Amino acid sequence: MTRAEAKERNRRALLDAAFQVVSRDGYRARLDEIADRAGLTTGAIYSLFGSKNGLVVALVADHLRPYYEEIERAVPAELDLLEAVDAFARHYRRGCDAPDALSGLSLQITLLDMALHDPELGGRLATSVRSQETHLIALFTGRPYNGGVVTSHQAQRLTTALRALFVGLTQGVALGLAPGADEQYFADAARALVSGPSLIDHDADPS
């Protein structure tokens, strides 16, 4: 095994261990337990990620990367905006029934709690999530809508609104508070954000 391969193996082991420990313990997660689960030392964490917060930020990026790659495959480039939003909503709802849905939601809630306890971590997590969301902004930008095409600024506003909508609906599904929220419900709610006089029609780009 080359040095690069060993480094990547150790990185992967630490991220997998961090997912388990952080999801369970949140800001109380201990580096020594994470390292022990990975079969490494805490020195490896500092060497690869710089700090506990660095490890958590890397964990979020690692968790989100395949999620956005799946979305890009689920929303074909030839769809117009409403069709793309519909496909995105249905894909998101199907994710609520995935085997790892509850563990993902648990991590999401845990990270929010950690961010509230540690503003520095909160700022770094927000930056990481925003950088990942550029994939969604690019996904919607340029699609036909209402006789024109969606601008980057419009796509950014839409992405923010969709994230807020789906986070709330997903939590409702998990807690049993939204028993009728099937794929069609998610799609209808998402389409409502862009149908008629909506946020997508107002492109007051401050730049």
Side-chain angles (χ1 to χ4, degrees):
M1 182 179 294
T2 66
R3 178 174 296 182
E5 290 171 337
K7 181 178 180 180
E8 180 56 29
R9 181 200 60 186
N10 292 344
R11 180 180 177 277
R12 180 74 265 156
L14 286 168
L15 288 172
D16 290 343
F19 181 88
Q20 298 172 19
V21 178
V22 171
S23 295
R24 186 194 68 202
D25 297 340
Y27 67 93
R28 297 183 182 86
R30 294 177 14 245
L31 290 184
D32 58 345
E33 182 179 357
I34 294 172
D36 186 61
R37 280 176 176 261
L40 298 166
T41 66
T42 55
I45 294 177
Y46 289 106
S47 175
L48 289 168
F49 302 103
S51 64
K52 178 179 178 179
N53 283 357
L55 173 60
V56 173
V57 171
L59 173 62
V60 172
D62 183 71
H63 183 70
L64 289 178
R65 188 175 299 109
Y67 161 75
Y68 286 115
E69 291 173 354
E70 290 173 3
I71 290 173
E72 291 175 356
R73 291 192 294 269
V75 185
E78 66 271 14
L79 301 181
D80 65 24
L81 180 64
L82 283 177
E83 292 170 334
V85 167
D86 187 289
F88 176 43
R90 293 177 185 278
H91 171 76
Y92 207 106
R93 176 60 183 86
R94 288 193 294 272
C96 295
D97 300 323
D100 61 348
L102 290 181
S103 61
L105 179 59
S106 176
L107 177 63
Q108 181 185 107
I109 294 172
T110 297
L111 290 170
L112 176 59
D113 183 55
M114 293 178 73
L116 293 174
H117 280 86
D118 185 341
E120 189 270 338
L121 173 61
R124 293 181 65 178
L125 288 175
T127 298
S128 176
V129 172
R130 280 195 296 268
S131 69
Q132 294 289 329
E133 284 187 349
T134 58
H135 296 291
L136 282 183
I137 294 171
L139 187 70
F140 294 124
T141 299
R143 293 185 185 269
Y145 172 73
N146 201 25
V149 296
V150 179
T151 67
S152 177
H153 181 62
Q154 288 174 323
Q156 182 178 28
R157 285 164 58 87
L158 177 60
T159 295
T160 299
L162 288 173
R163 172 168 45 82
L165 172 66
F166 291 148
V167 166
L169 284 177
T170 298
Q171 292 178 5
V173 170
L175 295 173
L177 301 176
D182 56 8
E183 281 189 31
Q184 190 61 51
Y185 186 98
F186 269 57
D188 290 343
R191 279 175 171 264
L193 290 175
V194 294
S195 299
S198 64
L199 80 167
I200 202 71
D201 294 314
H202 304 286
D203 192 23
D205 191 336
S207 63

